[in-house]
């Protein structure tokens, strides 16, 4: 049975391990620069949420988001950052349980996220949930 709970600052090391697992899954471990201490501080912030899925007390996935406001609509929404399920648990319904938990937390507010065009399996998963996928280009700029 899967238990889903909100991560606390005491879970910072577990959250870090899960983030690294996701990054390694996408061959992007180099991009993870957040530390356990950073996560401990971040997990105290009310606008940041990590839900951890556990089986028999072992973390097997997570979903994370930020609470945001749409400046065009004036409506609050959840900006989903990550959804990750460990390899051995994929296909066992954990991802759907995490997304349903996020939907419960959204309490009717929209949930928005990005998914890589190359991640066809994730796109199929989200469409099975009833999500609408809209193509966009993502801009990144880090001025010096």
């Amino acid at each position: 049975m899967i238990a889903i709970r909100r991560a606390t600052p005491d879970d910072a090391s577990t959250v870090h391990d899960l983030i690294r697992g996701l990054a390694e899954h996408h061959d992007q471990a180099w991009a993870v620069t957040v530390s356990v201490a950073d996560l401990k501080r971040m997990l105290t912030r009310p606008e940041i949420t990590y839900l951890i899925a556990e089986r028999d007390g072992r973390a097997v996935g997570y979903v994370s988001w930020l609470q945001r406001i749409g400046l065009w609509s004036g409506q609050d929404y959840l900006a989903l950052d990550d959804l990750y399920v460990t390899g051995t648990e994929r296909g066992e319904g954990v991802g759907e349980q995490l997304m349903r938990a996020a939907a419960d937390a959204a309490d009717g507010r929209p949930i928005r996220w990005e998914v890589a065009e190359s991640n066809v399996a994730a796109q199929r998963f989200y469409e099975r949930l009833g999500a609408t996928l809209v193509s966009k280009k993502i801009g990144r700029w880090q001025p010096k």
Side-chain angles (χ1 to χ4, degrees):
M1 182 171 164
I2 296 296
I4 296 176
R5 64 177 180 81
R6 186 172 182 149
T8 70
D10 291 338
D11 296 307
S13 181
T14 298
V15 169
H16 191 266
D17 290 345
L18 290 165
I19 290 170
R20 290 212 37 97
L22 172 59
E24 289 168 5
H25 177 70
H26 289 290
D27 296 322
Q28 295 179 346
W30 54 268
V32 178
T33 59
V34 70
S35 70
V36 172
D38 293 334
L39 286 166
K40 191 174 280 257
R41 281 190 304 278
M42 289 165 45
L43 288 167
T44 66
R45 295 175 57 172
E47 75 276 16
I48 297 173
T49 301
Y50 280 83
L51 297 183
I52 299 173
E54 296 175 320
R55 185 182 301 280
D56 300 324
R58 182 178 53 87
V60 297
Y62 76 99
V63 64
S64 58
W65 66 81
L66 295 164
Q67 288 187 305
R68 306 292 270 231
I69 187 166
L71 297 176
W72 284 17
S73 68
Q75 183 180 24
D76 288 339
Y77 68 94
L78 301 188
L80 191 118
D81 189 53
D82 288 324
L83 172 66
Y84 174 65
V85 176
T86 60
T88 58
E89 293 290 335
R90 286 190 200 117
E92 300 296 320
V94 177
E96 182 170 349
Q97 288 180 56
L98 284 165
M99 286 298 287
R100 300 267 178 226
D104 287 346
D107 195 28
R109 294 173 289 177
I111 302 173
R112 297 182 188 170
W113 65 91
E114 300 168 7
V115 60
E117 286 185 32
S118 61
N119 194 343
V120 176
Q123 292 173 40
R124 281 194 308 261
F125 167 77
Y126 293 129
E127 288 172 336
R128 277 195 314 270
L129 290 179
T132 301
L133 301 180
V134 178
S135 294
K136 276 189 161 185
K137 297 291 183 191
I138 299 168
R140 292 191 178 154
W141 180 34
Q142 188 169 354
K144 295 187 188 242

